[in-house]
Amino acid sequence: DMSYGRLSAAEKYCCPHLDDSNVASTMDPETGTVKGWEGLCTHVRNEVFYRMGMNDQEIVALLCGGHVYGRCHPNASGYAGPWVENPTEFSNEYAADMIEDEWTLVGHGDTWLDAQGSAELRPAPGNRQFVNQVHGKVDDKPPNQMMLLSDMILAWDPSFRMYLEVYAEDEAQLKNDFGITFKKLTELGCGF
C-alpha cells in the first residue's frame, strides 16, 4: 500500500506540542507567533534550502513566487485552500497579504469557518494552518486564503522578513528574483 500526500514532518521541528483541541494556546500572545516556530525556521533553512545552495533571499523568492499558484487540497496534503485570491496569475500578492492581512491559526475543529462561508479553509484532522479570516468577523470578509506554518516563518524571521517586505512592495523585483532562483533550483541536479 502506498499513501499519497504531504506529510507534515516539518511541524515536528516546530511544534510537537500543537494540539487540535486548543489551537489558540499554541500562540505566543506577545508576538503573535506560534510557540517554537524557530525550530521550523531552522529546518526550512538548514535541512531543505541551504543544502541546495540557496540563501535567505532565494528562499523567500521561491516561496513568494511559487505559492501564488495553486492551492492545498485536504484529501491530498491535509491542508486546505489557496494562498492567494487569484492562484493562476503571477503576482506579489502572497508577500503583500502575508504582511498586510490578519492571520488566525486554525485546526480541523474550527467549525466557525463553516458558518462564515470559509469551510474550504478547514484543514484535515491533525493539521493546523493560518487563515485570513477572523472568528465572528463577517463584514468586509476577505476572499478565502491560507498560509502554512512554514509560510508564516517568512514574516516572523527578521532575515526572511526583510526580503518579504521588498517583494510585497515590488512585484517586478519578485518576478526577476523568482525567475533566477527557480532556474537555479531546476538546474541543481541534486540526487535526493
Side-chain angles (χ1 to χ4, degrees), residues 19-99:
D19 177 7
D20 259 352
S21 64
N22 192 1
V23 173
S25 71
T26 64
M27 297 296 292
D28 181 328
E30 290 183 24
T31 63
T33 62
V34 170
K35 295 174 186 173
W37 68 269
E38 298 89 345
L40 176 58
C41 192
T42 299
H43 168 73
V44 168
R45 267 197 180 100
N46 297 342
E47 297 179 37
V48 179
F49 289 103
Y50 280 9
R51 71 184 196 147
M52 292 188 285
M54 302 289 174
N55 61 34
D56 286 356
Q57 177 267 322
E58 292 167 321
I59 294 168
V60 177
L62 280 174
L63 290 173
C64 288
H67 282 182
V68 295
Y69 295 111
R71 60 182 297 123
C72 291
H73 302 273
N75 59 338
S77 68
Y79 299 98
W83 283 276
V84 297
E85 183 177 0
N86 298 305
T88 60
E89 301 172 13
F90 188 86
S91 71
N92 65 338
E93 183 185 355
Y94 170 92
D97 288 351
M98 189 180 298
I99 292 171

Side-chain angles (χ1 to χ4, degrees), residues 161-172:
R161 186 169 179 110
M162 70 179 179
Y163 298 110
L164 185 69
E165 290 174 353
V166 168
Y167 297 143
E169 295 296 321
D170 192 341
E171 184 175 318

Side-chain angles (χ1 to χ4, degrees), residues 138-190:
V138 291
D139 296 336
D140 288 331
K141 181 181 157 318
N144 291 334
Q145 294 171 231
M146 58 77 68
M147 294 283 174
L148 302 172
L149 294 176
S150 54
D151 294 309
M152 295 303 292
I153 64 170
L154 300 184
W156 299 337
D157 179 80
S159 179
F160 285 154
R161 186 169 179 110
M162 70 179 179
Y163 298 110
L164 185 69
E165 290 174 353
V166 168
Y167 297 143
E169 295 296 321
D170 192 341
E171 184 175 318
Q173 185 69 52
L174 171 60
K175 187 174 187 176
N176 180 70
D177 292 352
F178 174 72
I180 292 167
T181 307
F182 186 74
K183 181 178 187 296
K184 177 179 176 178
L185 177 68
T186 59
E187 293 176 348
L188 279 175
C190 290

Side-chain angles (χ1 to χ4, degrees), residues 127-146:
N127 287 355
R128 292 146 306 278
Q129 65 187 39
F130 282 86
V131 299
N132 66 338
Q133 305 299 322
V134 177
H135 186 217
K137 184 178 177 184
V138 291
D139 296 336
D140 288 331
K141 181 181 157 318
N144 291 334
Q145 294 171 231
M146 58 77 68

